């Protein structure tokens, strides 16, 4: 059985907050086909990259088979930075980034510990399938963030979703479709 490593967003992660409903949707839709790993990331209300990197480093022992990496919001940008800066020794099938901020895009998005280096796409040649999903009217992380990623990942597929969802509390069928693709 292959694995999914799901890294959640920043902010509250209790009950129905943050990425919790999206994670539960993913578990409901894919539990029969994937081993789903959804670690509790440290300090989600005041996140720091070094702490999140340390937590992600602990996960390779939990994966089975090929792994699909899914990052929601901050989790997406953290996975991209992790792959660009770390030696990863697990077979990655897909990387799916959902509504990820592009740190440094403007004055509002200036957390230096999350900013990616300019050569980020060169560091990820072994990831065969990269997808970016983003709602066209996302008010939390505007779609311009995904458009900025398109300059760095020309091999990726960029999917603009209708509506204004950021948390995807009702699920994300496109995500499940991407997971079913071989």
């Amino acid at each position: 059985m292959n694995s999914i490593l799901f890294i959640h967003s920043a902010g509250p992660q209790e009950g129905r907050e943050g990425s919790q409903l999206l994670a539960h949707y993913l578990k409901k839709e894919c539990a029969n086909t994937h081993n789903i790993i959804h670690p509790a990331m440290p300090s989600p209300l005041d996140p720091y990259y070094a702490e999140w990197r340390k937590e992600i480093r602990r996960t390779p022992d939990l994966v089975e088979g090929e792994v699909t990496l899914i990052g929601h919001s901050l989790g997406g940008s953290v996975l991209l930075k992790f792959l660009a800066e770390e030696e990863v020794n697990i077979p990655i099938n897909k990387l799916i980034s959902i509504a990820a901020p592009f740190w440094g895009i403007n004055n509002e998005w200036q957390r230096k510990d999350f900013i990616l280096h300019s050569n980020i796409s060169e560091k990820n040649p072994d990831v065969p399938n990269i997808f970016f999903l983003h709602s066209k009217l996302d008010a939390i992380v505007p779609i311009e963030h995904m458009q900025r990623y398109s300059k760095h990942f020309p091999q990726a597929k960029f999917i603009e979703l209708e509506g204004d969802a950021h948390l995807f509390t009702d699920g994300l069928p496109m995500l499940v479709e991407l997971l079913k693709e071989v």
Side-chain angles (χ1 to χ4, degrees):
M1 182 180 292
N2 291 333
S3 297
I4 293 172
L5 173 60
F6 180 86
I7 304 298
H8 65 68
S9 62
Q13 298 297 317
E14 299 296 322
R16 301 176 59 83
E17 297 180 301
S19 299
Q20 291 305 311
L21 291 176
L22 182 56
H24 290 302
Y25 171 80
L26 184 63
K27 289 176 183 177
K28 182 183 94 179
E29 295 293 326
C30 301
N32 292 333
T33 57
H34 292 83
N35 172 34
I36 301 171
I37 302 154
H38 176 219
M41 301 305 282
S43 308
L45 297 175
D46 188 20
Y48 289 91
Y49 177 73
E51 293 176 348
W52 285 43
R53 178 185 68 221
K54 186 177 179 180
E55 188 62 35
I56 292 171
R57 282 183 179 161
R58 296 178 199 204
T59 59
D61 294 338
L62 304 174
V63 301
E64 300 172 15
E66 289 186 322
V67 65
T68 296
L69 303 174
I70 301 174
H72 176 233
S73 196
L74 178 65
S77 58
V78 165
L79 282 174
L80 290 163
K81 184 171 177 69
F82 184 85
L83 290 172
E85 297 179 359
E86 302 291 323
E87 188 70 32
V88 179
N89 296 317
I90 56 174
I92 300 170
N93 178 19
K94 292 179 184 142
L95 168 64
I96 303 173
S97 175
I98 304 165
F102 189 97
W103 294 95
I105 193 169
N106 59 35
N107 289 334
E108 295 177 39
W109 297 91
Q110 290 296 323
R111 284 286 304 267
K112 289 184 180 183
D113 58 330
F114 292 113
I115 292 177
L116 297 166
H117 299 291
S118 61
N119 63 345
I120 54 176
S121 63
E122 297 168 13
K123 298 286 187 171
N124 296 309
D126 294 334
V127 180
N129 302 293
I130 302 174
F131 300 91
F132 288 82
L133 285 71
H134 213 111
S135 294
K136 291 180 182 178
L137 303 174
D138 187 332
I140 297 172
V141 179
I143 194 145
E144 291 79 17
H145 291 257
M146 183 179 79
Q147 293 163 346
R148 181 65 66 91
Y149 280 118
S150 70
K151 296 176 182 178
H152 297 278
F153 291 92
Q155 77 280 24
K157 293 180 184 168
F158 294 86
I159 302 168
E160 292 186 11
L161 304 167
E162 294 299 325
D164 62 355
H166 181 77
L167 295 177
F168 301 96
T169 56
D170 294 327
L172 184 52
M174 175 58 71
L175 176 60
V176 175
E177 287 179 35
L178 292 175
L179 292 170
K180 290 179 181 176
E181 285 183 14
V182 178

